[in-house]
Amino acid sequence: MSLALCALSHTPVMGVHQPADDVVDRVQAAIDDARKFVVEFDPELVVVFAPDHYNGFLYDLMPSFCIGAAATAVGDYGTSGGPLPVDGSAARAFTAAALERGVDVAFSERMTVDHGCVQPLDLLFGGIDAVPVVPVFINCVAEPLGPVGRARLLGEAIGSAAVTLDRRVLLLGSGGLSHDPPVPRLAEAPPEVAERLIAGRNPTPEQRAARQARVFDAALAYAAGTTDLMPLNPEWDRRFLAVMASGDLAQIDSWSNESFVEQAGHSSHEVRTWLAAHAALSAQGSYEVRSSFYEAIPEWLAGFGVTTAQPRRS
Ligand SMILES: O=C(O)/C=C/c1cccc(O)c1O
Ligand SMILES: [Fe+2]
């Protein structure tokens, strides 16, 4: 058995509205390097810790966490769509391990995932069919959210089960870092938007296209500085990355949900996926960061990070 980690931001604006060429080149180099790391590790299973953006999980039934034993991708924003090659027995083992450790995960034999789960698979593996996966949903958008430390405990539980497998397991975290994209919030939503957040699965192609166009337009306006969306926070991002690299993950338990929003934007909660992935990696002992890239990219609406890490070699 062995574990490895790759955590990276996702943004559907990538490739649609680009920052300067030199920025794109640096991001591409970081992704290429992460892909090289993953190819060399040659994972036999990929555990994807990812948020959802009201495509699979809505307010009609919103868990804090859900492990999927079967899953289908909606294929939003041009990401791969269709069934994922989920390892159902590994998913059930991870679920049992989490419940045994007092982390009350939900479990799904028919999970739906979106770009949050699929974009990293597309970027690192060229699609969703390359390696068996276990998708692990972490609620990062639908308030109220539990304390951030619960994601750490989830990761530790899944990691404790992953290290017992006689397989190479890649822990993939997807999201963040600081960002405040125009994702609607139930508390402020007008009735028709509230209905979509509660029960708006399977939008029509026209509805999905309109939603995606709104995000693309927001990205253009954000880069031009003409929106009231919160600024990216490189200082906060770098502080978060330093905590992940330190291995002392429990210190983040004191970061209140309010502080995430106030300092790093409503969708900065997506870093819970990074936290869970690093906590899972820690199940194999202390770890070392092999590579860390970060750049604030307003054109993509995100503080964009790419990290690879592995158990510390003695
Ligand atoms: O369409 C959505 O709901 C979200 C889009 C988005 C935009 C920028 C950064 C992200 O992490 C996103 O999920
Ligand atoms: Fe997201």
Side-chain angles (χ1 to χ4, degrees):
M1 59 85 199
S2 63
L3 305 179
L5 174 141
C6 180
L8 67 166
S9 303
H10 60 253
T11 171
V13 194
M14 181 189 288
V16 178
H17 297 311
Q18 296 289 69
D21 288 351
D22 63 317
V23 177
V24 173
D25 292 347
R26 286 194 293 273
V27 172
Q28 193 56 56
I31 292 172
D32 289 347
D33 176 67
R35 189 182 303 121
K36 178 173 176 286
F37 170 72
V38 169
V39 166
E40 286 171 1
F41 179 63
D42 190 22
E44 297 162 285
L45 180 68
V46 181
V47 181
V48 191
F49 297 94
D52 175 76
H53 311 78
Y54 303 112
N55 287 296
F57 293 89
L58 293 87
Y59 274 104
D60 55 358
L61 182 58
M62 181 60 71
S64 293
F65 309 120
C66 184
I67 297 176
T72 300
V74 297
D76 59 337
Y77 292 105
T79 59
S80 297
L84 274 68
V86 179
D87 182 328
S89 59
R92 295 178 191 95
F94 295 164
T95 302
L99 295 172
E100 179 63 32
R101 284 177 168 234
V103 182
D104 296 326
V105 293
F107 183 70
S108 173
E109 291 283 353
R110 195 163 297 172
M111 193 157 134
T112 297
V113 300
D114 71 4
H115 67 274
C117 177
V118 171
Q119 190 178 68
L121 294 175
D122 283 344
L123 290 173
L124 295 174
F125 296 97
I128 55 179
D129 297 328
V131 184
V133 298
V134 173
V136 180
F137 162 76
I138 296 178
N139 179 19
C140 300
V141 288
E143 294 171 332
L145 301 181
V148 63
R150 299 297 297 163
R152 176 173 62 81
L153 298 178
L154 170 72
E156 288 175 1
I158 289 177
S160 70
V163 293
T164 67
L165 300 177
D166 186 20
R167 296 156 82 175
R168 293 181 301 280
V169 181
L170 177 68
L171 306 161
L172 183 52
S174 172
L177 299 172
S178 66
H179 67 312
D180 192 36
V183 178
R185 291 182 290 280
L186 186 61
E188 303 147 18
E192 70 280 2
V193 174
E195 180 56 27
R196 178 168 73 79
L197 299 180
I198 293 169
R201 278 178 189 78
N202 306 316
T204 65
E206 294 75 21
Q207 289 169 330
R208 183 170 295 292
R211 168 180 176 171
Q212 296 181 173
R214 276 195 302 275
V215 170
F216 295 149
D217 291 346
L220 282 176
Y222 186 70
T226 59
T227 74
D228 59 0
L229 298 173
M230 286 183 59
L232 304 181
N233 190 333
E235 181 189 347
W236 186 92
D237 290 339
R238 294 192 187 282
R239 188 160 71 241
F240 174 78
L241 291 171
V243 170
M244 295 299 102
S246 74
D248 175 14
L249 302 178
Q251 64 182 293
I252 209 164
D253 292 10
S254 65
W255 293 25
S256 70
N257 289 352
E258 293 73 20
S259 72
F260 278 78
V261 175
E262 290 159 8
Q263 296 175 35
H266 290 85
S267 286
S268 64
H269 292 303
E270 288 189 349
V271 300
R272 292 167 181 238
T273 65
W274 286 57
L275 174 59
H278 282 80
L281 180 62
S282 71
Q284 196 173 338
S286 66
Y287 57 77
E288 59 191 9
V289 169
R290 168 192 167 275
S291 66
S292 178
F293 166 85
Y294 174 75
E295 191 150 346
I297 307 179
E299 294 84 351
W300 287 353
L301 289 168
F304 199 94
V306 184
T307 289
T308 59
Q310 60 204 356
R312 189 176 302 283
R313 287 165 292 188
S314 49

